[in-house]
Amino acid sequence: MSAEFWTDDVAALAISTPISEIRIDEFPTGNLRRLQNVLDEMHSDPETATAEFERRYWMLRRLLDS
């Protein structure tokens, strides 16, 4: 994973914002795609593949799919 991966707002949202505070309808389409890409990249990275991230990953994916 590159260092820049962790520096943008979308990556921060993916790893730290409480799910209940994420308002998907307020995001531009480009940022939603970026969030999905960030989640998928993190999900496939063994360093971030913890049980907690796995749970968060699926919660965010369900939110994006709704």
Side-chain angles (χ1 to χ4, degrees), residues 1-61:
M1 225 180 290
S2 66
E4 67 188 279
F5 179 85
W6 299 105
T7 62
D8 66 48
D9 292 340
V10 176
L13 173 75
I15 61 170
S16 64
T17 303
I19 301 291
S20 62
E21 293 180 17
I22 298 173
R23 303 290 180 258
I24 294 296
D25 58 331
E26 296 176 5
F27 280 82
T29 303
N31 281 0
L32 290 176
R33 281 193 210 103
R34 171 79 175 120
L35 176 58
Q36 186 164 352
N37 291 339
V38 166
L39 288 172
D40 290 340
E41 187 176 338
M42 291 174 69
H43 191 245
S44 65
D45 181 0
E47 290 181 29
T48 58
T50 64
E52 178 59 27
F53 180 76
E54 185 74 10
R55 185 181 72 77
R56 183 174 179 79
Y57 170 81
W58 288 110
M59 290 173 73
L60 283 167
R61 286 305 304 250

